[in-house]
Amino acid sequence: STDLTSTVGYDSIIQHLNDGRKNCKEFEDILKERAIIEEKYGKELINLSKKKPCGQTELNTLKRSLDVFKQQIDNVGQGHIQLAQTLREEAKKMEDFREKQKLHRKKLELIMEAIHKNRNLQYKKTMEVKQTCFCFLPYGALLYLFSLSHFWQLFLKLAQTKSALEDSDRNYQQSVITLEKIREEWQKEHIKACEFFETQECERINYFRNALWLHVNQLSQDCVQNDEKYEEIRKSLEMCSIEKDIDFFVNLRKTGSLAPAPVVYENYYNTERNATPVRSSVPVPISR
């Protein structure tokens, strides 16, 4: 401003710096809150991997895959906890940065306050003296088994009579024949059942593996999508220009390009001594 006592430009700068410091504090608070969320989420994932059973009766390769699955859940949880610690460290760096800037600014602001005070006092004093002089002028999956234990009772009765023995022998032979037919039928059905069960187990393992794979892909996709979101932030940061931001602020808040003109002494006492006040040349525009 061309007004010597005006601090509108200076006040605008200080306000802008304070706004910037406030914005840093807001980002710092987001980092701290995100750290709390990440830590809580990480701990819950670790508890999930340790306390929740998953495929305890599985064998061989699928079991190893499930073990890896649970271990990776734990690892992801540990990663979120580490991320929480990283975010806290970044928040602390931001806080240190803000406080460092605040400390450096405070020294300069004290100097500027003293300069403004001294300037304004002197200006007031000068104007008062001027007014004193001016006053003299006129303007101002399930299975089953069965037993043939009743054959032992039949065997004991064979010793009682030959007829009974022959009848029993015939009955025994018939029972053996019948049993063999049943055995052959059972074996065929057993093989068919085992083949069916094997097919079902292959399908189950394949489905379980694919579901597990899909779940991991979903988690990975979530990370990819998050990274894409963060990439948008990085792209926007690449477009961030310190010079453009400063220029924009200057153009938005500029108050002029000329410094205040020097205060010229005007002699009201001896008009003959200084009939025409001497003024300095036109003020040179100050550079940014």
Side-chain angles (χ1 to χ4, degrees):
S1 174
T2 55
D3 183 359
L4 179 60
T5 60
S6 174
T7 59
V8 61
Y10 178 82
D11 294 339
S12 182
I13 293 174
I14 295 300
Q15 182 61 48
H16 183 68
L17 296 177
N18 289 335
D19 290 343
R21 184 170 180 271
K22 178 183 177 183
N23 293 336
C24 289
K25 181 63 168 61
E26 291 174 350
F27 177 66
E28 176 188 327
D29 292 339
I30 288 179
L31 290 179
K32 291 179 179 178
E33 291 295 325
R34 180 66 184 267
I36 295 174
I37 295 172
E38 292 291 342
E39 184 176 47
K40 181 180 179 180
Y41 180 55
K43 289 181 178 179
E44 290 181 351
L45 284 179
I46 293 174
N47 290 335
L48 176 66
S49 67
K50 292 182 177 180
K51 297 181 179 180
K52 194 68 176 179
C54 182
Q56 290 181 324
T57 60
E58 292 295 343
L59 302 174
N60 207 22
T61 58
L62 180 57
K63 177 175 176 57
R64 290 197 292 268
S65 295
L66 290 172
D67 290 341
V68 173
F69 167 65
K70 295 192 69 177
Q71 181 60 49
Q72 292 306 319
I73 291 180
D74 184 272
N75 291 342
V76 171
Q78 295 290 351
H80 282 280
I81 292 177
Q82 182 60 44
L83 175 58
Q85 180 60 30
T86 301
L87 293 176
R88 289 192 179 95
E89 292 172 358
E90 292 301 317
K92 184 61 170 62
K93 291 179 181 178
M94 178 62 74
E95 181 181 2
D96 293 341
F97 172 76
R98 288 191 305 104
E99 293 302 318
K100 182 180 179 180
Q101 280 205 331
K102 178 183 177 181
L103 181 62
H104 291 174
R105 277 180 49 198
K106 190 63 179 179
K107 296 178 181 179
L108 183 58
E109 287 178 18
L110 290 174
I111 295 174
M112 291 302 296
E113 288 175 5
I115 292 175
H116 290 163
K117 182 178 181 180
N118 185 55
R119 178 201 64 185
N120 292 346
L121 287 174
Q122 187 59 38
Y123 184 83
K124 181 180 180 181
K125 180 180 179 180
T126 302
M127 292 301 103
E128 289 176 349
V129 174
K130 177 180 179 179
Q131 185 64 30
T132 302
C133 297
F134 186 74
C135 69
F136 293 101
L137 301 178
Y139 50 88
L142 296 176
L143 294 177
Y144 72 92
L145 297 174
F146 66 94
S147 172
L148 300 178
S149 60
H150 61 285
F151 282 169
W152 289 103
Q153 297 177 359
L154 295 176
F155 179 76
L156 294 175
K157 293 180 180 179
L158 289 177
Q160 296 178 2
T161 61
K162 181 180 179 181
S163 177
L165 179 60
E166 291 176 351
D167 290 340
S168 297
D169 184 65
R170 286 193 297 271
N171 290 335
Y172 172 65
Q173 291 180 19
Q174 186 62 41
S175 296
V176 170
I177 293 172
T178 302
L179 179 60
E180 180 59 18
K181 291 181 180 180
I182 293 174
R183 189 198 65 81
E184 290 177 355
E185 183 68 19
W186 164 79
Q187 183 171 294
K188 291 178 182 179
E189 294 298 323
H190 180 79
I191 293 174
K192 289 168 62 176
C194 287
E195 290 174 346
F196 177 78
F197 294 152
E198 181 179 357
T199 300
Q200 274 202 332
E201 183 65 1
C202 289
E203 291 176 353
R204 187 190 70 82
I205 293 175
N206 182 65
Y207 187 86
F208 199 164
R209 187 195 66 168
N210 291 343
L212 186 59
W213 198 307
L214 177 62
H215 177 58
V216 173
N217 284 346
Q218 290 170 340
L219 297 178
S220 297
Q221 182 64 29
D222 182 67
C223 294
V224 171
Q225 291 175 350
N226 286 340
D227 187 65
E228 290 175 353
K229 296 179 178 68
Y230 298 145
E231 180 63 21
E232 292 300 317
I233 299 176
R234 289 190 286 266
K235 288 180 180 179
S236 67
L237 290 175
E238 290 176 351
M239 301 300 294
C240 178
S241 170
I242 298 174
E243 182 179 0
K244 288 181 179 179
D245 286 357
I246 293 177
D247 287 344
F248 179 84
F249 166 72
V250 170
N251 291 329
L252 181 66
R253 301 294 186 181
K254 64 183 179 181
T255 58
S257 60
L258 298 177
V263 177
V264 178
Y265 165 74
E266 298 180 40
N267 188 350
Y268 294 96
Y269 178 73
N270 189 347
T271 57
E272 295 179 355
R273 182 180 176 184
N274 188 14
T276 304
V278 179
R279 298 182 179 273
S280 62
S281 59
V282 177
V284 179
I286 57 175
S287 64
R288 195 174 302 160

